[in-house]
Amino acid sequence: QVQLVESGGGVVQAGESLRLSCAASGLIFRITTVGWFRQAPGKQRELVALSYSTTYTNYTDSVKGRFTISRSNAKNTVYLQMDSLKPEDTAVYYCYAEEARPPGTATHWGQGTQVTVSS
């Protein structure tokens, strides 16, 4: 059974940084796309960042220039470096991964890690 385990969440003040990690285990096939989503209280889950490869990434506009997604394929781990955090970044952050299972793909989610940014 595939598991995604996030770590690195916490409580910080505005302007500070956090680094989230997500380690995948139980994989049978290769991980292709990985990413981070977040869900604030009373809001829908939204995309934060996606990594289609080690060089091709995509970010939602509100985090561009502040967040950086990276991955280690050898370790089956994805990271989210979050700098210049703002109170509006407060949310539960979820790790996401697509596993290439022929003839299609399987999607996996982590359990979420809380990030709280105080003003």
Side-chain angles (χ1 to χ4, degrees):
Q1 184 176 356
V2 176
Q3 283 190 318
L4 301 181
V5 179
E6 299 111 332
S7 61
V11 180
V12 296
Q13 292 189 333
E16 294 185 340
S17 299
L18 278 175
R19 188 191 194 209
L20 305 183
S21 299
C22 173
S25 61
L27 293 165
I28 300 175
F29 297 97
R30 182 176 58 92
I31 287 290
T32 55
T33 301
V34 293
W36 293 91
F37 289 71
R38 66 186 179 187
Q39 187 167 18
K43 294 187 177 181
Q44 290 188 332
R45 189 174 298 189
E46 64 171 357
L47 169 68
V48 177
L50 284 176
S51 168
Y52 303 99
S53 69
T54 55
T55 56
Y56 183 33
T57 58
N58 187 37
Y59 298 89
T60 192
D61 286 344
S62 62
V63 308
K64 285 181 180 177
R66 300 188 298 121
F67 290 11
T68 303
I69 187 171
S70 61
R71 60 196 288 173
S72 169
N73 291 332
K75 296 181 180 180
N76 286 325
T77 301
V78 59
Y79 307 94
L80 185 68
Q81 178 66 40
M82 305 185 294
D83 298 320
S84 302
L85 282 161
K86 303 176 181 180
E88 51 263 43
D89 295 319
T90 295
V92 177
Y93 283 71
Y94 296 91
C95 178
Y96 167 85
E98 292 182 3
E99 182 186 12
R101 290 191 179 184
T105 59
T107 58
H108 307 290
W109 292 90
Q111 81 287 351
T113 185
Q114 177 70 47
V115 172
T116 302
V117 184
S118 60
S119 57

